[in-house]
């Protein structure tokens, strides 16, 4: 009888322990899913901003057709990307194309003084910063989740309940870690 | 790592519970001291003080403390914002737009927690955060700080305030500040009552004596409770500022920016107005600038709300792997200047009307701009459209009704040049929004806008402005103060409220905080400048003739750099 009670206690204890660990993994997963949703909101904001930016620049930079087309192309590619890896690559492309655009824009003083462009510049700066901070928060949450998935004893629960490691939203090189700098 | 929701709730419950117990305890202690005092004064030492008396005192303390708690916590944030005279951001002001964006950026870094941004109309350098039980979270900065810090530094300051909110100690700071601010206000009222006895003069004899006795009793209670409430600083550990700095550095991954911001704060005046100074715990740096602030040790830890700024700077520099020299070179560099944008002209309607003047004679035809310039033009005037013989009341004309409706709005209304040059244009100057006459280049601006513009650094001054400013400074020293005080009034009409404006010499104390103007006086800049301006005493609108704003900016910036090193 004592053995039976002990066995029952171990089973109930084990189940409770499993539930606690399972809930922790669910909570961590929810947190990084929510963090990803935050990134997507900011990315959408940037996608909406780019056509306006190109439209304003077009009025002054008639001879820089290729540069403007590259920005639009990068935006289209980014909107079509599905996986985190593809999105990260597309975002890198947008950042570099915007950097080229602003480098060229330095040669157009009228564009630099344009009111709409100045407004868009502030919008773009804040959007880039928000993306950067949202990505940082997402990566923090992913790191917490991945650590839980790999560590003992949560890794046993993760294997049983099919919690898999997820990838962080990384950018390629250190130079690109900074938002495109615009000096108007 | 970011604080989890449960961790925040746990901390919140613990600290708020402790505060409530503390409040009951100080009331209990106060009543106990008063009881002993009364026994001594009334010679009642023979009366026994047993368990029942203690219980009665406790019930009394609980009832008074509970009522006090309920009263101060109701509509908590609104009360504090009113006390601080904090204002929501002006959506047309560029600096405010940037600050609003920065708050949103740091919100993204904290996982999307939403904050409301506010601004204090003062030239001091400080920032604060507030939180209440309804999950409202406020982050505010002073106009002085907005003008002084660059984007990175401002981001660091906002991150520091976000860290306070996320850790939950902002809520306890807000609650404790509001709890004990009540005593200060009540003590001030009683002091003023004692000072000027007019409310009690009409009473006489015994009645007056009883009222005085009650007032003295109330004063004693408040004085004791206020004294004991200083012990609340024990709950507001100085360590919380170090923790918030560290979390801020982690949130924005940039400890150097926070070190720079704190360094700038340490070199400026940090006051937040007379009322704001009482709420020291909600600010990034102590607005009271207590001597204990820069000291260490048990006594300073217990009774000072903020740790030494020098230690906080060192801590951030350590995290950034930098030394103090990097900050000194940063401070000597000029503050980035925002773009100055040109005048935007208003669209003026083409329609014209004849107007029946107060002498019952028809005048005109006038367009809307010209009508706006007439001081007797009102909604109930008789008007006649140019191409019609039908006479109507002004508000029956659609365009005129629209005009009057716009007049009623606080912003965006059509206003006319007081010199009779018609409709004034809108302009954006150093990020602020102002009204400028396209003909005479006169500028109409409110007191707040004037302060903002003075605080913000001008790109460059031309030779003529510098020459005129120097002449005005010389004149200000030579003309006797008595002569300066004379106001020649009734010159022109206020473009906003149409009341008669007062022509007077420019007075720094009417625009800037008194502490700063005192500093200016020490450097030979007097309260009054020998620069005539027009001021509407009804709505605090300034009318400055061409170039006068630049002259004021030059004088302010030149002497500010002498005072605070740029």
């Amino acid at each position: 009888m004592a053995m039976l009670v002990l066995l029952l206690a171990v089973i109930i204890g084990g189940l409770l322990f499993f539930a606690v660990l399972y809930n922790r993994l669910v909570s961590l997963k929810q947190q990084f899913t929510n963090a990803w949703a935050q990134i997507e909101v900011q990315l959408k904001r940037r996608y909406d901003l780019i056509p306006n930016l190109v439209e304003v620049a077009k009025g002054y930079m008639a001879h820089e057709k290729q540069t403007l087309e590259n920005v639009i192309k990068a935006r289209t590619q980014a909107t079509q990307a599905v996986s985190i890896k593809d999105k990260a690559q597309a975002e890198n492309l947008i950042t570099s194309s915007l950097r080229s655009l602003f480098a060229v824009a330095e040669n157009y003083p009228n564009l630099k003084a344009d009111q709409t462009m100045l407004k868009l510049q502030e919008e773009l700066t804040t959007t880039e910063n928000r993306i950067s901070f949202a990505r940082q928060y997402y990566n923090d949450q992913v790191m917490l989740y991945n650590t839980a998935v790999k560590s003992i004893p949560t890794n046993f629960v993760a294997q049983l309940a099919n919690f898999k490691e997820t990838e962080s939203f990384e950018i390629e090189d250190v130079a690109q870690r900074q938002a495109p700098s615009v000096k108007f | 790592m970011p604080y989890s929701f449960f961790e925040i709730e746990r901390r919140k419950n613990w600290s708020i519970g402790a505060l409530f117990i503390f409040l009951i305890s100080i009331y209990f202690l106060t009543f106990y001291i008063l009881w002993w005092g009364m026994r001594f004064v009334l010679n009642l030492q023979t009366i026994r003080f047993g368990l029942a008396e203690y219980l009665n005192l406790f019930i009394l303390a609980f009832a008074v403390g509970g009522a006090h708690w309920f009263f101060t916590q109701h509509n908590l944030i609104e009360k504090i914002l009113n006390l601080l005279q904090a204002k929501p951001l002006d959506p047309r002001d560029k600096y405010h737009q940037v600050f609003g964006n920065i708050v949103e950026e740091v919100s993204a870094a904290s996982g999307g927690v939403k904050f409301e941004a506010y601004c204090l109309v003062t030239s001091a350098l400080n920032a604060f955060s507030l939180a209440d039980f309804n999950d409202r979270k406020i982050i505010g900065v002073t106009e002085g700080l907005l003008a002084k810090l660059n984007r990175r530094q401002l981001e660091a300051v906002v991150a520091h305030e976000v860290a306070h909110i996320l850790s939950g100690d902002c809520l306890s700071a807000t609650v404790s500040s509001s709890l004990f601010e009540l005593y200060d206000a009540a003590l001030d009222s009683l002091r003023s009552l004692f000072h000027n006895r007019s409310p009690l003069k009409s009473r006489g004899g015994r009645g007056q004596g009883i009222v005085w006795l009650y007032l003295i009793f109330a004063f004693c209670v408040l004085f004791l409770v206020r004294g004991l409430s200083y012990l609340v600083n024990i709950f507001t550990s100085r360590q919380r500022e170090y923790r918030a700095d560290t979390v801020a550095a982690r949130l924005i991954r940039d400890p150097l920016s926070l070190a720079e911001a704190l360094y700038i704060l340490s070199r400026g005046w940090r006051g937040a107005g007379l009322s704001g100074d009482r709420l020291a715990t909600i600010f990034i740096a102590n607005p009271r600038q207590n001597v204990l602030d820069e000291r260490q040790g048990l006594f300073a830890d217990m009774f000072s709300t903020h740790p030494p700024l020098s230690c906080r700077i060192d801590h951030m520099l350590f995290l950034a792997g930098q030394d103090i020299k990097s900050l000194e070179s940063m401070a000597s560099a000029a503050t980035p200047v925002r773009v100055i944008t040109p005048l935007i002209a208003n669209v003026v309607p083409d329609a014209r009307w004849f107007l029946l003047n107060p002498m019952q004679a028809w005048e005109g035809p006038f367009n809307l701009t010209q009508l706006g310039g007439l001081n007797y033009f009102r909604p109930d005037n008789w008007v006649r459209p140019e191409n019609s013989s039908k006479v109507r009341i002004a508000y029956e004309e659609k365009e005129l009704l629209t005009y009057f409706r716009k007049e009623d709005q606080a912003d965006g209304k059509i206003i006319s040049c007081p010199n009779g040059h018609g409709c004034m244009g809108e302009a954006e100057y150093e990020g602020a929004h102002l009204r400028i006459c396209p003909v005479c280049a006169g500028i109409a601006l409110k007191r707040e806008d004037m302060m903002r513009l003075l605080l913000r650094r001008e790109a460059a001054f031309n030779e003529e402005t510098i020459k005129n400013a120097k002449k005005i400074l010389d004149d200000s020293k030579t003309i006797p103060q008595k002569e300066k005080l004379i106001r020649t009034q009734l010159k022109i009409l206020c473009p906003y409220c149409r009341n008669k404006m007062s022509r007077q010499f420019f007075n720094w104390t009417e625009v800037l905080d008194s502490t700063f103007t005192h500093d200016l006086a020490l450097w030979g800049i007097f309260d009054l400048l020998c620069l005539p301006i027009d001021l509407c005493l009804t709505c605090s609108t300034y009318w400055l003739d061409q170039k006068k704003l630049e002259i004021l900016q030059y004088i302010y910036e030149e002497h500010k750099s002498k005072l605070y090193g740029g």
Side-chain angles (χ1 to χ4, degrees):
Chain A
M1 184 62 187
M3 279 296 287
L4 193 66
V5 170
L6 189 68
L7 190 68
L8 208 64
V10 167
I11 290 170
I12 290 171
L15 282 174
L16 280 175
F17 190 55
F18 181 88
V20 168
L21 295 182
Y22 180 84
N23 285 348
R24 181 159 178 259
L25 282 169
V26 170
S27 164
L28 289 170
K29 192 172 181 178
Q30 286 300 324
Q31 277 176 25
F32 83 72
T33 311
N34 179 47
W36 177 252
Q38 298 284 338
I39 293 183
E40 289 204 313
V41 169
Q42 302 307 337
L43 290 178
K44 169 83 171 47
R45 193 183 150 95
R46 179 153 81 164
Y47 301 152
D48 292 345
L49 211 58
I50 288 171
N52 296 336
L53 186 79
V54 170
E55 202 56 42
V56 174
K58 210 188 271 179
Y60 298 93
M61 299 165 68
H63 304 295
E64 309 288 348
K65 208 176 168 189
Q66 189 59 44
T67 316
L68 295 172
E69 275 176 5
N70 285 345
V71 177
I72 292 293
K73 208 171 141 188
R75 179 195 176 266
T76 314
Q77 213 171 317
T79 50
Q80 287 165 354
V82 182
S83 72
I84 293 176
K85 200 176 173 183
D86 290 348
K87 269 212 185 303
Q89 275 176 355
E91 290 308 316
N92 289 333
L93 205 61
I94 288 187
T95 309
S96 60
S97 62
L98 281 176
R99 190 172 287 120
S100 321
L101 173 66
F102 290 124
V104 176
E106 284 291 307
N107 304 324
Y108 294 86
N110 290 342
L111 175 63
K112 283 160 60 173
D114 186 289
Q115 284 301 299
T116 320
M117 193 65 181
L118 287 169
K119 213 172 171 182
L120 284 169
Q121 176 223 338
E122 172 55 28
E123 283 295 307
L124 190 75
T125 309
T126 186
T127 308
E128 293 289 347
N129 287 348
R130 287 182 209 189
I131 291 171
S132 164
F133 282 132
R135 190 177 59 221
Q136 177 187 298
Y137 182 76
Y138 170 80
N139 288 342
D140 282 349
Q141 297 305 321
V142 165
M143 191 186 74
L144 281 177
Y145 170 78
N146 284 346
T147 311
V149 167
K150 275 183 177 173
S151 341
I152 294 171
T154 32
N155 61 340
F156 300 121
V157 182
Q159 276 174 8
L160 281 170
N162 203 22
F163 283 98
K164 286 178 181 162
E165 263 188 83
T166 193
E167 51 190 327
S168 52
F169 189 47
E170 293 292 346
I171 47 175
E172 274 173 4
D173 61 66
V174 179
Q176 285 187 341
R177 281 172 198 272
Q178 292 166 354
S181 62
V182 198
K183 288 177 188 169
F184 283 124
Chain B
M1 291 302 112
Y3 288 95
S4 78
F5 174 75
F6 298 106
E7 200 177 344
I8 293 168
E9 286 300 307
R10 211 164 35 236
R11 280 161 174 263
K12 196 161 62 179
N13 292 339
W14 179 88
S15 54
I16 297 300
L19 258 175
F20 186 72
I21 293 168
F22 178 75
L23 182 72
I24 303 296
S25 309
I26 59 170
Y27 269 112
F28 182 80
L29 207 58
T30 305
F31 291 137
Y32 187 74
I33 293 169
L34 281 172
W35 169 249
W36 273 98
M38 278 170 69
R39 282 183 75 191
F40 183 74
V41 171
L42 302 174
N43 201 16
L44 303 172
Q45 283 93 331
T46 49
I47 294 177
R48 202 180 134 266
F49 200 77
L51 188 66
E53 282 74 20
Y54 277 112
L55 196 65
N56 284 341
L57 274 190
F58 178 75
I59 291 168
L60 184 66
F62 194 83
V64 176
H68 179 177
W69 181 275
F70 177 78
F71 178 71
T72 48
Q73 300 316 302
H74 179 67
N75 214 4
L76 173 64
I77 284 192
E78 281 307 318
K79 278 184 203 160
I80 297 181
L81 290 177
N82 284 338
L83 188 77
L84 292 170
Q85 296 179 328
K87 301 211 164 163
L89 301 186
D90 178 355
R92 294 173 308 173
D93 188 284
K94 283 282 181 291
Y95 280 53
H96 285 206
Q97 283 172 15
V98 170
F99 174 55
N101 284 337
I102 287 172
V103 171
E104 289 290 326
E105 288 163 24
V106 183
S107 159
S110 64
V113 182
K114 289 288 164 210
F115 307 99
E116 293 172 54
Y118 275 79
C119 204
L120 293 187
V121 188
T122 163
S123 56
L125 308 178
N126 223 323
F128 69 95
S129 56
L130 295 170
D132 70 358
F133 295 106
N134 300 325
D135 223 18
R136 228 181 132 189
K137 303 171 190 81
I138 310 283
I139 292 175
V141 293
T142 57
E143 286 285 357
L145 199 74
L146 269 188
K148 190 78 184 163
L149 301 189
N150 65 28
R151 195 182 187 109
R152 279 172 50 246
Q153 293 157 353
L154 203 54
E155 207 162 66
V157 169
V158 171
H160 171 94
E161 298 305 337
V162 165
H164 273 310
I165 293 174
L166 291 182
S167 66
D169 56 30
C170 175
L171 181 70
S172 48
T174 310
V175 170
S176 65
S177 322
S178 68
L179 280 178
F180 303 117
E181 198 281 327
L182 188 79
Y183 299 130
D184 287 317
L187 275 171
D188 281 352
S189 316
L190 281 176
R191 273 193 204 111
S192 65
L193 203 63
F194 290 144
H195 184 68
N196 109 51
R197 300 176 181 187
S198 56
L200 298 165
K201 271 181 182 169
S202 57
R203 295 166 186 265
R206 203 181 155 193
Q208 187 180 354
I210 291 169
V211 172
W212 275 107
L213 204 67
Y214 276 123
L215 285 176
I216 291 167
F217 179 75
F219 189 83
C220 291
V221 173
L222 286 169
F223 193 76
L224 267 171
V225 176
R226 184 69 192 106
L228 290 169
S229 71
Y230 279 110
L231 294 170
V232 83
N233 287 343
I234 296 164
F235 288 92
T236 50
S237 160
R238 285 174 129 191
Q239 298 299 317
R240 79 193 193 291
E241 292 297 334
Y242 289 120
R243 278 200 303 270
D245 287 345
T246 315
V247 174
R250 191 193 161 278
L251 271 178
I252 58 163
R253 306 286 204 266
D254 188 4
L256 187 61
S257 298
L258 188 55
E260 288 173 3
L262 292 172
Y263 184 74
I264 292 168
L265 274 171
S266 71
R267 289 156 55 96
W269 174 56
R270 309 193 286 270
L274 193 63
S275 314
D277 284 359
R278 293 168 182 164
L279 307 166
T281 48
I282 64 169
F283 286 94
I284 189 170
N286 189 359
R288 280 189 286 222
Q289 300 197 320
N290 194 324
V291 282
L292 288 176
D293 285 349
E294 290 303 314
R295 290 189 189 159
Q296 293 196 37
L298 186 66
F299 190 73
D301 283 348
M302 279 185 75
F303 293 102
S304 176
T305 50
H306 291 74
L309 272 171
S310 55
C311 295
R312 290 169 68 183
I313 294 167
D314 286 346
H315 179 53
M316 286 298 107
L317 284 174
F318 172 75
L319 291 181
Q322 299 281 338
D323 59 13
I324 195 78
K325 281 180 188 165
S326 61
L327 296 186
E328 279 159 4
S329 58
M330 174 278 303
S332 61
T335 312
V337 180
R338 268 76 164 190
V339 179
I340 301 168
T341 44
L343 182 77
I344 306 158
N346 275 332
V347 179
V348 182
D350 293 330
R352 283 151 51 109
W353 294 265
F354 288 96
L355 179 74
L356 193 67
N357 69 18
M359 307 300 290
Q360 302 301 308
W362 286 101
E363 281 185 339
F366 302 114
N367 64 22
L368 192 52
T369 308
Q370 291 162 332
L371 281 173
L374 300 169
N375 60 3
Y376 56 87
F377 181 51
R378 297 278 184 275
D380 56 352
N381 284 141
W382 290 100
V383 294
R384 181 162 55 86
E386 190 182 18
N387 302 324
S388 166
S389 57
K390 200 174 177 184
V391 178
R392 308 179 76 177
I393 303 171
Y395 65 75
E396 290 176 343
E397 288 284 302
K398 197 179 164 189
E399 292 92 340
L400 298 182
L401 183 64
T402 312
Y403 166 76
F404 286 119
R405 280 189 176 149
K406 279 184 182 170
E407 280 261 286
D408 290 340
Q409 293 166 6
D411 300 308
K413 65 183 181 183
I414 299 170
I415 62 167
S416 305
C417 171
N419 292 331
H421 297 126
C423 199
M424 289 182 73
E426 290 179 69
E428 195 189 292
Y429 180 66
E430 294 191 4
H433 182 266
L434 50 81
R435 295 304 189 99
I436 183 164
C437 174
V439 181
C440 65
I443 291 169
L445 70 175
K446 299 277 183 187
R447 180 189 166 266
E448 284 169 36
D449 296 324
M450 172 76 100
M451 179 191 262
R452 281 178 199 165
L453 288 173
L454 288 178
L455 293 172
R456 293 169 190 181
R457 192 178 277 262
E458 170 70 54
F461 296 101
N462 61 36
E463 286 294 318
E464 194 193 341
T465 306
I466 297 170
K467 198 175 142 192
N468 288 337
K470 284 179 177 166
K471 187 177 179 302
I472 286 165
L473 279 172
D474 290 341
D475 289 350
S476 304
K477 285 172 193 166
T478 52
I479 295 175
Q481 292 287 325
K482 227 177 182 182
E483 200 178 317
K484 286 181 194 176
L485 281 167
I486 297 167
R487 282 177 169 166
T488 51
Q489 52 179 322
L490 318 179
K491 280 284 279 187
I492 54 173
L493 295 180
C494 170
Y496 281 97
C497 68
R498 296 204 174 164
N499 281 307
K500 286 171 180 172
M501 295 185 96
S502 161
R503 174 147 280 231
Q504 59 181 68
F505 286 114
F506 181 78
N507 188 344
W508 292 106
T509 50
E510 283 175 349
V511 181
L512 300 164
D513 306 87
S514 55
T515 308
F516 188 78
T517 48
H518 173 72
D519 291 349
L520 282 177
L522 287 177
W523 280 85
I525 304 298
F526 303 99
D527 284 353
L528 283 166
L529 265 187
C530 195
L531 178 75
I533 50 112
D534 296 291
L535 172 66
C536 174
L537 300 171
T538 313
C539 68
S540 302
T541 297
Y542 283 89
W543 173 258
L544 300 173
D545 296 330
Q546 194 182 11
K547 303 284 181 196
K548 281 186 181 171
L549 182 61
E550 284 93 335
I551 291 171
L552 285 172
Q553 284 180 296
Y554 174 78
I555 295 172
Y556 179 80
E557 282 183 21
E558 272 296 294
H559 291 83
K560 192 178 159 199
S561 60
K562 279 183 193 169
L563 277 172
Y564 300 122

